[in-house]
Amino acid sequence: MELEINQAMKVLKEGGVILYPSDTIWGIGCDATNYNAVSKIFEIKKRTSNKALISLVADKKEQEMITGKKFNIKIDTHPTTVIYPKAINLAKNLLAKNGSVAIRIVKDDFCIKLIKKLGRPIVSTSANLSGKVNPKKFSDICDEIKNNVDYIVNLRKDELMNNSSQILLIDKHGSIKKIR
């Protein structure tokens, strides 16, 4: 795993895009603070840039650095993505039109170690072309995606991955609403 973390980190630091397993599905990712890398993900997925992407963080401290404040949200063991009303220190093209941001404190060991070593959050978006079905395993990912990323993490390629996260929304007044 250490070799894969080092390889992926090198690509992320150079502004590249990786294809990697997460705690939910296979994802396409980059340094969430790099505007050009985020743009490349939109190109690879053929996704309109007005749709926000999720950022993965390693822990609550990183989440607080991005949102600029503490939120007291009880999250169970199920992967949970939280949409916060605003964000700081992320690429502007990663945010929704209203400035909100989707963040998940990741539970996957590889992702946690990669994010901590990189020292910044990473983007996580499903490894499919926009509008197409999410791949459930590595072999389901289309060649167009595989051929356009800069690095493919060589872990968990035979594992079935179909664990979508629940989604919570925090409005500007601090109210929490479950979306999914």
Side-chain angles (χ1 to χ4, degrees):
M1 182 187 300
E2 200 61 36
L3 174 65
E4 291 302 316
I5 290 168
N6 290 334
Q7 288 292 101
M9 189 184 69
K10 180 177 184 250
V11 170
L12 295 173
K13 280 190 170 185
E14 293 172 354
V17 173
I18 63 172
L19 180 60
Y20 67 101
S22 74
D23 54 346
T24 55
I25 58 173
W26 271 87
I28 302 172
C30 69
D31 174 350
T33 66
N34 186 318
Y35 185 94
N36 291 331
V38 172
S39 293
K40 187 173 179 183
I41 287 179
F42 282 111
E43 290 173 24
I44 290 170
K45 285 186 62 85
K46 298 183 177 176
R47 181 174 173 155
T48 60
S49 60
N50 64 346
K51 291 187 176 184
L53 301 172
I54 295 172
S55 294
L56 299 182
V57 296
D59 54 38
K60 196 165 188 69
K61 180 181 171 191
E62 289 183 6
Q63 169 264 306
E64 291 170 359
M65 288 175 48
I66 292 171
T67 61
K69 55 169 64 172
K70 292 182 181 187
F71 289 93
N72 191 16
I73 302 171
K74 176 121 170 105
I75 297 176
D76 60 17
T77 57
H78 189 78
T80 303
T81 300
V82 181
I83 301 171
Y84 296 92
K86 68 176 189 166
I88 53 176
N89 302 321
L90 291 178
K92 296 294 180 206
N93 55 344
L94 191 59
L95 310 178
K97 284 183 182 180
N98 65 359
S100 65
V101 63
I103 299 173
R104 184 168 74 245
I105 298 174
V106 74
K107 298 181 183 303
D108 176 78
D109 195 41
F110 167 79
C111 292
I112 291 169
K113 289 178 179 178
L114 177 61
I115 293 164
K116 285 190 177 218
K117 194 161 190 171
L118 181 65
R120 295 184 291 277
I122 61 173
V123 169
S124 180
T125 184
S126 56
N128 62 316
L129 297 174
S130 188
K132 301 293 182 186
V133 176
N134 291 343
K136 293 186 177 162
K137 55 188 173 187
F138 180 78
S139 60
D140 293 340
I141 300 169
C142 72
D143 288 341
E144 189 170 350
I145 296 286
K146 292 176 185 174
N147 294 334
N148 283 300
V149 297
D150 300 302
Y151 185 70
I152 298 172
V153 173
N154 192 24
L155 296 171
R156 299 168 52 201
K157 287 187 172 177
D158 294 327
E159 187 176 323
L160 183 65
M161 302 180 88
N162 191 27
N163 187 19
S164 61
S165 66
Q166 68 177 340
I167 300 176
L168 304 177
L169 170 70
I170 300 176
D171 68 20
K172 61 183 178 182
H173 305 293
S175 297
I176 300 171
K177 176 183 175 184
K178 186 172 182 175
I179 295 177
R180 177 175 75 191

